[in-house]
Amino acid sequence: MSCPDCFQGTVHEGTPTGRVAKIHALPTYIAEPEDGSKMNGIVVIISDAFGWTLPNTRILADEMAREGNFLVYLPDFMNGHAIPTSFIDVVPKLMYSTGWKSWFCKPYYFFRLLAGFIPFFLRNRIPRTHPTIRSYFEAIRAHEAVNCPLGVAGYCWGGNHATQLAHGDVSKQGRPIVDAVFAAHPGFMKIPQDIEGVRIPYSLAVGEEDSNLSMKSVAVVKGVLAEKKREVRSEVVIYEGARHGFAIREGAKLGEFNPRRDVLVPDDIRVQAAGHIGKREKNPPN
C-alpha cells in the first residue's frame, strides 16, 4: 500500500560529495569515510520511491559515511525507473491547491501522476525487485564485506526490502547476508507476517501520523518484537507528529512538509540508523 506522503516532500539543499561507480553491475553512489578514518563497516542504503539520485538520500549517505565512518553504497535497485524528482511537487498541487484556477490544472497533474506512478509500480513491485537486491547483498558479503560488518538502511519502498533482509537468510559463506537492519516508515508491509520473520538486529523508525503504517499496526510490531527480545535486539522509535516519508523528505528547514514537527527529523534518523548499525551483532540482546 502507498499513500500521498510517499510522493511529496522537500528536496534538500546541498551538494552530494560522493562518487558514482558500478558495483556488482549496478550503478552505485559511494560515500566514504574521511581520509585516514578507520572504516567501521559497510552500509547499503535502499532508497524510497525517488530512487538513488534524490539529493536528500545522497546527502544522507555522505553524512553516514562522515559521522559513522562507514563505507556507504546507494545503488540503483530500480534500474532507472524511480519516480522523477520533479514529481515531488505534483501531489501537493493536485491535492492541496485551492482557487478556481487550480481546478483547471488538476486534470493535468492527475494524468501526470498516472504517467509516472503506473510504470513505477509495475516495474518495482516488491516480489519483482527483491531478488536483485538480495543478489547485490550476497555479492557485497562475498567480496567487500567478507571481514567487516554489513548493515542496511531502507526507507519507505526500501524499508520493506530491508525488513525482508532482517529475516536472517544465510549467504553462501555461511554468514547472515546482513548483520543489522534499519527501516524507516516501510511501505507495502504485511503485519504481522513481515515482522514475525525478523532474526537480525532490527531498528524501526515510524511517524506518529504515518497513514501507511498506523499506530495500531505499530503496536502489533512492538508486541511481536517483544516476544523475540531474548533472541534478537530490536527497537521501535516513534517520531511525534511525523508523517510517512519524513525520514528522507522532511523539510530541510523547520515548518517544511510537516509544520507540526518541532525538531529536524532527518538528523534524528541519521543518528538512530548509524547508532543501531554500528552496534552490529557483537552485543547480545537484552
Side-chain angles (χ1 to χ4, degrees):
M1 177 182 176
S2 63
C3 66
D5 287 336
C6 288
F7 310 111
Q8 62 177 315
T10 302
V11 177
H12 294 173
E13 297 178 356
T15 302
T17 57
R19 59 187 176 89
V20 173
K22 276 203 170 182
I23 303 292
H24 302 296
L26 291 185
T28 301
Y29 179 82
I30 303 169
E32 301 172 274
E34 294 181 349
D35 293 342
S37 298
K38 180 181 178 182
M39 186 181 76
N40 289 330
I42 297 173
V43 176
V44 178
I45 294 178
I46 311 178
S47 71
D48 66 0
F50 288 94
W52 74 303
T53 61
L54 183 69
N56 306 19
T57 316
R58 292 190 171 191
I59 291 170
L60 175 65
D62 294 338
E63 292 172 342
M64 279 189 177
R66 181 176 61 252
E67 298 180 13
N69 289 334
F70 295 116
L71 173 61
V72 183
Y73 292 152
L74 171 58
D76 178 14
F77 286 130
M78 300 178 186
N79 194 28
H81 299 303
I83 298 291
T85 303
S86 60
F87 276 54
I88 207 164
D89 293 328
V90 175
V91 169
K93 290 177 180 177
L94 176 64
M95 297 186 63
Y96 308 124
S97 59
T98 58
W100 66 268
K101 290 184 179 180
S102 69
W103 288 103
F104 288 99
C105 298
K106 285 181 184 291
Y108 164 76
Y109 293 125
F110 175 76
F111 286 109
R112 187 179 172 193
L113 286 175
L114 290 182
F117 294 164
I118 290 176
F120 170 81
F121 286 119
L122 291 177
R123 292 165 173 160
N124 296 302
R125 297 189 305 274
I126 300 296
R128 180 174 181 175
T129 49
H130 195 72
T132 297
I133 292 174
R134 179 192 166 108
S135 295
Y136 188 91
F137 277 88
E138 287 183 335
I140 295 293
R141 173 60 85 197
H143 296 88
E144 291 84 353
V146 172
N147 297 311
C148 73
L150 174 59
V152 53
Y155 300 84
C156 193
W157 179 86
N160 184 299
H161 288 290
T163 301
Q164 292 192 43
L165 290 170
H167 290 181
D169 292 346
V170 176
S171 69
K172 295 178 181 178
Q173 291 72 38
R175 295 178 61 188
I177 294 177
V178 297
D179 297 310
V181 173
F182 168 77
H185 45 76
F188 308 98
M189 294 284 284
K190 296 178 181 177
I191 304 296
Q193 298 95 313
D194 288 338
I195 303 300
E196 289 172 340
V198 169
R199 299 288 183 273
I200 298 296
Y202 181 74
S203 178
L204 174 66
V206 62
E208 181 185 37
E209 298 182 13
D210 193 317
S211 58
N212 200 309
L213 193 61
S214 68
M215 288 297 99
K216 182 178 179 179
S217 294
V218 172
V220 174
V221 170
K222 284 185 170 183
V224 173
L225 293 176
E227 293 177 358
K228 297 173 173 284
K229 66 180 180 180
R230 294 185 179 275
E231 306 167 19
V232 60
R233 182 192 309 109
S234 65
E235 65 177 357
V236 177
V237 181
I238 299 172
Y239 289 84
E240 181 181 357
R243 304 201 309 252
H244 187 78
F246 70 94
I248 288 291
R249 286 169 276 110
E250 185 77 29
K253 299 178 181 178
L254 293 180
E256 295 177 337
F257 184 38
N258 191 344
R260 282 168 288 184
R261 290 294 298 136
D262 57 359
V263 297
L264 279 179
V265 172
D267 290 344
D268 301 341
I269 285 291
R270 186 181 67 252
V271 171
Q272 181 187 343
H276 172 75
I277 293 172
K279 290 179 182 177
R280 305 183 296 171
E281 287 189 302
K282 65 180 181 180
N283 298 322
N286 294 325

